[in-house]
Each structure stands twice: as structure tokens, then as C-alpha cells.
């Protein structure tokens, strides 16, 4: 008994072997890989922000009148100046900084781990830095001036870290991180044992494509750093050359393009995508929120009923060319939006298709779509709104091709790339008139809008071109017809609203630490 009591204190101080803390967990390559997968896990909610903070904010969508519902997407789409308190703006900030925090913790521990297989350590560091750069890129584009931190912080340290200018975030973290990723990643990532890893991890091509997008973004509004345009061109050209040489990422015809949006084809056509599966909380969260309530012939699960419809401008663009019988020539039209004027068979007295407007189905694997494309029905597996399995693309080859065409203009290569996308979709090659400088740039913008619709790209394009005020006001003007509510929406679109406000929770965490963005003061 005496021996027992005398040793009791030492025994109680021993940490259980199954307790994982930052002190005893990050010690082996296997554990570091688990930690790295945790950083990837932080990407899961980002498709929702691509929907609510990019597509809904842009001229691609029409979200009805604010008075019909008090929901975040309504406030965002109407440019309500009082959105610093809404959950979407707060959650996007938190989730993006969660990726940064996890990456910082990983990077702070990796040098203390002994890797026995050559190249794995550098690869894992490159992946973590790629993900950190991706998160900071969205933070800068959404919020502008944000706190910059490259190491784990205590609460007191975080509470004393002020905002940094956007250009500083680019130059001190986004560009260096992606340059490191370009220098350390390969096209076939390995796991900690040196075996081929599961699909979905960052590759050399993904790093080049993202860095090219970063450079092109910096060349546009609000930084207008023209020196970055040539850097973007070089990287995007390397991505295109790699795709041409290997045959990767390209759907060779219209039928294959339609099948791109079926989960059986995950990790086949996109350069980098968020991974989703049919499992609770691991499905694509934006799908449920993106469509109205639907009859059971689409899906059995009751959908959100959100009024997120295709705006008139995009709708007309997708339907622009038709044959003599009225069929849309652009295969992307009916693969992107549903133009059916359906009646709710489940409840004929219920109005389910608001004002007959077309809604987006690009990411909705409904029963009729899968059957038409020759795939089995998976409806029975979708038992919860968090179960939709289709991956969400963050970088596509077509995006890279069109960014490159925008940079080089109506050169032979620029025209070739645009025509390659157009003819696959069923449209004619560019005419001589469309190959003139200004006309060509408009064609590139139109192709980006058609090809990348509903992928969270359009809003960032409008900001980069500094046309967001003109284009979004025009969307509201189409609906106005002297109606004061739409006039209010038009007036809400002001200089500075290309950014979102710093969330109210952050502003109040420590008075005076952050400055609110100008449009929301």
C-alpha cells in the first residue's frame, strides 16, 4: 500500500497513449499525413461560399425580392449594406482561417519529424502551403485586408495581430507558398510510405494553375499590377501544354462534357476539386441550397426551396443559338439549367417553380439526369442534405485555357483555345469580326460565363475587370420597371462593395484591432 501511494502522483501524471495532443501526436510521417488530410478536410464547406458569396453576388443569378424571405443569400444578392452580422459572412471567415490555422500547425511541426522516404516531407509541405495559399487567396478576394499569420498563435497573439494590406498577403504568403508548391509537388502525389496516394491531393499542375490565377487576379482591379500578367501567361501555358501532351482534364466531346457532372467521373476532368462522398456531413453542401423545392421525379429528398434562379443575361446567353426546331445548340445550356415548366405532381396546388425561372442543375444528380446519361439511380442513398457526392471543381482546364486566351488576345493560340471550347459545346468557330481585339475579349468573357457558370468564378471575373457595378446594376435594371425595391438594390451596389464586410464578431472581439471595409462603415 505504501508503494502504491508513493507512486500514485507519478502514475497520474502519465499521459494516456491514446490521447492526441499537439505535443505527442505530430511525431511520425503517418501522423503528419493524418494532420495533412485534416487540412484538406477544411475545404468541405467552400463550395457553399462559391455559391452564396460568388454566384449569388454576381449577375449570373436572380434571387427574387428581399421581402420574400430573410435569408443570407437574399441579403448578399441584394447588396444589403448591413451584412456584417449574417452567418455566411462570419462562417466563411472562420472556415478559411481554420484551413490557415491547421496548415500553420502542420508546418510548425513537420521539421521535427524524421522522414525516411526521400521527397515525401517536401511534398507534404508543398501540399500544406498550397492549401494555405488557397485559403488566403479567398480571404483576400472576399474581405481585402485580413490578419496575416504564418505560425500557430495563442489567443493573446491573435488578439494583437492587425490586418495586413491585400498586396502584403499576396507577396508574403500566397505567392511564396505557391512557388514552394510548384517546386516540391509532382503530378502523382505519394503517401507517407511512398505509395501512390488517393485522388484529390494537390499536384504540380494544380499549383501552377492556381498561381497563374493569382497573378492574373493581381493584374486586374484593384491592384492593377501589370507585371504579373506575363508571369500568369507562362504558368497557364505550361498547364495547357501538359494537358495537351497527356490528354488529361479534357472531355473530348459534348456527350463526355455532360458526363463530367456525374460523381462516377470525379477526379477525371478537374485539375483540383473538393472531394465529396455519399456520407453524412461529407457530401457537397451547396447542392441542397442551390435549387427550389422539386417534385419527387427529380429527388425524393425535400430540397431547400431557395429562390436562386438563372439571371436573364446568362439565361439568354446559354439559349442564344437555336436550330430551326428551337433546340438549343449549346449543349451546356440544358446541362447547366433546367428550363422545364413543370407542375408539382406531389402537390398540384403548390407553386414550386418561382415565376417560371430556370434554375441550376449542373451539380444536381437528379434521377432523370442520371437515367438520361446511362447511370444507375442513386436517389435512395441521398437520405440527408449532406449526402450529395459530386465533387466541386476549384480549378478546371477550361478556366486555364480562357484565362490564357484573355491574356494573349486574338492570337492564333488564343483563338484556337476559344474555338476548341466552343465547337465541343456545339457552337460555330469565331467569325472574323469576333477575332478583332475588343470583340475577342468579349467572346472570352462570354465563354467563361457559359462554360464556368455556377462554379464560383463569375463574381471574381467581374471584380477583376472592375465591371461588377455596371453588370450587377444592369441585372437589377432588367427587373426594375420603375419598381422602387429594385431601385434600392441598384443603389446598394456601390464602390467598395467588391469586398464583403469584416464579420461583426471579429470587429467586436477587440475594439479597434480591425478597421471595417469602407463600404460598410
Amino acid at each position: 500500500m505504501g508503494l502504491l501511494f508513493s507512486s500514485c502522483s507519478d502514475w497520474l501524471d502519465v499521459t494516456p497513449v491514446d490521447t492526441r495532443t499537439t505535443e505527442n501526436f505530430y511525431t511520425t510521417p503517418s501522423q503528419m499525413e493524418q494532420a495533412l488530410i485534416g487540412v484538406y478536410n477544411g475545404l468541405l464547406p467552400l463550395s457553399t461560399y462559391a455559391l452564396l458569396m460568388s454566384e449569388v453576388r454576381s449577375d449570373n443569378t436572380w434571387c427574387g425580392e428581399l421581402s420574400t424571405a430573410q435569408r443570407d443569400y437574399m441579403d448578399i444578392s441584394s447588396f444589403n449594406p448591413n451584412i456584417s452580422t449574417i452567418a455566411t459572412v462570419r462562417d466563411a471567415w472562420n472556415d478559411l482561417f481554420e484551413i490557415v490555422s491547421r496548415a500553420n500547425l502542420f508546418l510548425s511541426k513537420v521539421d521535427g519529424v524524421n522522414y525516411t522516404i526521400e521527397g515525401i516531407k517536401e511534398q507534404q509541405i508543398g501540399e500544406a502551403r498550397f492549401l494555405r495559399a488557397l485559403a488566403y487567396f479567398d480571404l483576400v478576394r472576399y474581405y481585402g485586408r485580413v490578419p496575416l499569420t504564418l505560425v500557430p498563435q495563442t489567443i493573446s497573439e491573435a488578439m494583437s495581430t492587425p490586418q495586413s494590406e491585400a498586396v502584403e498577403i499576396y507577396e508574403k504568403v500566397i505567392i511564396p507558398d505557391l512557388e514552394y508548391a510548384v517546386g516540391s509537388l509532382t503530378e502523382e502525389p505519394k503517401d507517407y510510405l511512398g505509395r501512390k496516394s488517393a485522388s484529390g491531393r494537390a499536384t504540380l499542375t494544380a499549383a501552377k494553375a492556381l498561381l497563374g490565377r493569382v497573378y492574373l487576379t493581381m493584374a486586374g482591379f484593384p491592384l492593377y499590377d501589370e507585371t504579373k500578367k506575363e508571369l500568369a501567361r507562362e504558368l497557364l501555358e505550361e498547364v495547357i501544354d501538359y494537358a495537351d501532351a497527356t490528354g488529361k482534364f479534357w472531355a473530348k466531346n459534348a456527350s463526355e462534357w455532360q458526363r463530367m457532372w456525374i460523381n462516377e467521373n470525379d477526379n477525371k476532368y478537374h485539375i483540383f476539386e473538393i472531394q465529396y462522398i455519399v456520407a453524412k456531413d461529407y457530401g457537397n453542401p451547396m447542392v441542397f441550397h442551390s435549387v427550389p423545392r422539386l417534385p419527387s421525379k427529380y429527388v425524393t429528398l425535400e430540397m431547400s426551396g431557395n429562390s436562386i434562379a438563372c439571371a436573364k443575361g446568362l439565361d439568354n446567353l446559354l439559349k442564344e443559338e437555336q436550330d430551326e426546331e428551337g433546340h438549343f445548340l449549346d449543349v451546356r445550356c440544358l446541362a447547366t439549367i433546367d428550363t422545364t415548366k413543370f407542375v408539382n405532381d406531389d402537390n398540384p396546388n403548390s407553386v414550386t417553380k418561382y415565376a417560371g425561372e430556370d434554375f441550376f442543375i449542373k451539380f444536381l444528380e437528379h434521377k432523370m439526369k442520371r437515367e438520361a446519361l446511362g447511370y444507375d439511380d442513386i436517389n435512395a442513398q441521398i437520405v440527408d442534405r449532406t449526402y450529395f457526392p459530386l465533387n466541386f471543381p476549384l480549378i478546371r482546364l477550361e478556366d486555364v485555357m480562357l484565362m490564357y486566351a484573355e491574356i494573349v488576345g486574338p492570337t492564333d493560340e488564343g483563338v484556337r483555345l476559344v474555338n476548341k471550347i466552343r465547337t465541343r459545346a456545339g457552337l460555330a468557330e469565331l467569325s472574323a469580326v469576333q477575332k478583332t481585339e475588343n470583340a475577342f475579349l468579349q467572346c472570352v468573357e462570354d465563354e467563361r460565363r457559359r462554360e464556368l457558370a455556377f462554379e464560383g468564378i463569375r463574381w471574381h471575373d467581374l471584380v477583376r475587370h472592375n465591371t461588377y457595378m455596371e453588370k450587377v446594376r444592369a441585372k437589377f435594371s432588367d427587373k426594375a420597371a420603375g419598381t422602387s425595391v429594385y431601385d434600392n438594390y441598384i443603389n446598394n451596389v456601390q464602390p467598395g462593395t467588391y469586398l464583403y464586410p469584416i464579420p461583426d464578431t471579429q470587429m467586436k472581439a477587440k475594439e479597434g484591432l480591425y478597421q471595417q471595409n469602407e463600404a460598410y462603415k
Side-chain angles (χ1 to χ4, degrees), residues 4-54:
L4 176 61
F5 282 118
S6 66
S7 62
C8 183
S9 176
D10 290 338
W11 176 72
L12 291 174
D13 286 340
V14 175
T15 304
V17 294
D18 61 348
T19 299
R20 296 182 175 183
T21 69
T22 57
E23 286 74 29
N24 69 14
F25 177 67
Y26 298 85
T27 58
T28 68
S30 172
Q31 291 174 346
M32 295 306 293
E33 181 150 311
Q34 292 179 58
L36 181 60
I37 298 304
V39 187
Y40 279 100
N41 184 263
L43 299 176
L44 294 178
L46 298 197
S47 64
T48 296
Y49 306 130
L51 168 67
L52 300 182
M53 296 178 70
S54 181

Side-chain angles (χ1 to χ4, degrees), residues 87-143:
T88 299
V89 171
R90 178 199 67 214
D91 293 346
W93 174 288
N94 291 342
D95 287 338
L96 289 166
F97 268 115
E98 181 68 23
I99 296 172
V100 172
S101 176
R102 292 179 184 181
N104 284 346
L105 183 57
F106 174 93
L107 293 168
S108 72
K109 298 293 184 179
V110 69
D111 281 340
V113 177
N114 180 32
Y115 286 79
T116 57
I117 299 178
E118 183 178 358
I120 300 301
K121 176 180 179 179
E122 291 73 19
Q123 175 197 295
Q124 289 190 355
I125 294 174
E127 290 179 75
R129 295 187 68 170
F130 173 91
L131 295 169
R132 183 171 66 179
L134 180 67
Y136 260 123
F137 187 38
D138 270 355
L139 283 164
V140 167
R141 292 191 295 174
Y142 285 139
Y143 302 102

Side-chain angles (χ1 to χ4, degrees), residues 5-252:
F5 282 118
S6 66
S7 62
C8 183
S9 176
D10 290 338
W11 176 72
L12 291 174
D13 286 340
V14 175
T15 304
V17 294
D18 61 348
T19 299
R20 296 182 175 183
T21 69
T22 57
E23 286 74 29
N24 69 14
F25 177 67
Y26 298 85
T27 58
T28 68
S30 172
Q31 291 174 346
M32 295 306 293
E33 181 150 311
Q34 292 179 58
L36 181 60
I37 298 304
V39 187
Y40 279 100
N41 184 263
L43 299 176
L44 294 178
L46 298 197
S47 64
T48 296
Y49 306 130
L51 168 67
L52 300 182
M53 296 178 70
S54 181
E55 289 299 325
V56 160
R57 193 74 159 175
S58 77
D59 59 347
N60 271 358
T61 62
W62 178 254
C63 296
E65 297 182 16
L66 184 60
S67 59
T68 61
Q70 192 67 36
R71 298 183 183 178
D72 284 10
Y73 75 92
M74 303 292 289
D75 287 314
I76 289 171
S77 68
S78 64
F79 282 70
N80 186 337
N82 303 308
I83 57 172
S84 64
T85 61
I86 68 174
T88 299
V89 171
R90 178 199 67 214
D91 293 346
W93 174 288
N94 291 342
D95 287 338
L96 289 166
F97 268 115
E98 181 68 23
I99 296 172
V100 172
S101 176
R102 292 179 184 181
N104 284 346
L105 183 57
F106 174 93
L107 293 168
S108 72
K109 298 293 184 179
V110 69
D111 281 340
V113 177
N114 180 32
Y115 286 79
T116 57
I117 299 178
E118 183 178 358
I120 300 301
K121 176 180 179 179
E122 291 73 19
Q123 175 197 295
Q124 289 190 355
I125 294 174
E127 290 179 75
R129 295 187 68 170
F130 173 91
L131 295 169
R132 183 171 66 179
L134 180 67
Y136 260 123
F137 187 38
D138 270 355
L139 283 164
V140 167
R141 292 191 295 174
Y142 285 139
Y143 302 102
R145 300 173 69 246
V146 298
L148 189 161
T149 173
L150 302 179
V151 296
Q153 289 187 314
T154 64
I155 293 176
S156 61
E157 288 171 337
M159 295 290 279
S160 60
T161 302
Q163 296 154 289
S164 293
E165 296 295 334
V167 68
E168 187 178 3
I169 302 291
Y170 278 113
E171 298 291 355
K172 289 189 175 181
V173 56
I174 298 174
I175 292 174
D177 275 358
L178 290 176
E179 287 179 336
Y180 185 94
V182 168
S184 62
L185 297 181
T186 67
E187 299 300 350
E188 294 188 357
K190 302 289 195 299
D191 67 10
Y192 72 99
L193 293 174
R195 304 170 303 192
K196 183 179 179 180
S197 70
S199 299
R201 292 171 67 165
T203 63
L204 172 58
T205 294
K208 288 180 177 180
L210 181 56
L211 184 53
R213 180 188 285 172
V214 166
Y215 282 143
L216 184 59
T217 300
M218 295 180 72
F221 176 82
L223 297 181
Y224 288 124
D225 184 351
E226 284 289 329
T227 66
K228 296 297 191 293
K229 190 170 287 188
E230 177 59 20
L231 297 174
R233 187 200 65 77
E234 292 174 359
L235 285 162
L236 298 175
E237 184 175 50
E238 289 178 17
V239 172
I240 294 166
D241 288 346
Y242 173 77
D244 285 346
T246 61
K248 289 186 176 181
F249 315 124
W250 179 252
K252 62 181 179 295

Side-chain angles (χ1 to χ4, degrees), residues 434-487:
Q434 291 172 312
K435 295 177 186 177
T436 59
E437 187 71 32
N438 291 336
F440 180 77
L441 291 178
Q442 184 60 55
C443 288
V444 172
E445 181 179 345
D446 289 345
E447 284 310 308
R448 287 184 66 78
R449 197 175 183 189
R450 282 186 282 240
E451 177 69 29
L452 305 172
F454 221 53
E455 297 178 39
I457 301 293
R458 177 63 175 174
W459 171 248
H460 299 303
D461 280 354
L462 294 180
V463 171
R464 178 163 54 83
H465 294 140
N466 198 18
T467 56
Y468 70 96
M469 290 181 59
E470 168 197 342
K471 298 293 178 68
V472 177
R473 283 180 170 182
K475 175 183 73 172
F476 293 137
S477 295
D478 285 342
K479 289 280 186 178
T483 306
S484 60
V485 64
Y486 299 125
D487 289 339

Side-chain angles (χ1 to χ4, degrees), residues 364-377:
L364 178 64
E365 294 189 75
H366 61 71
K367 292 186 281 187
M368 293 180 291
K369 177 199 281 191
R370 288 186 60 87
E371 181 180 3
L373 294 176
Y375 292 91
D376 294 336
D377 183 10

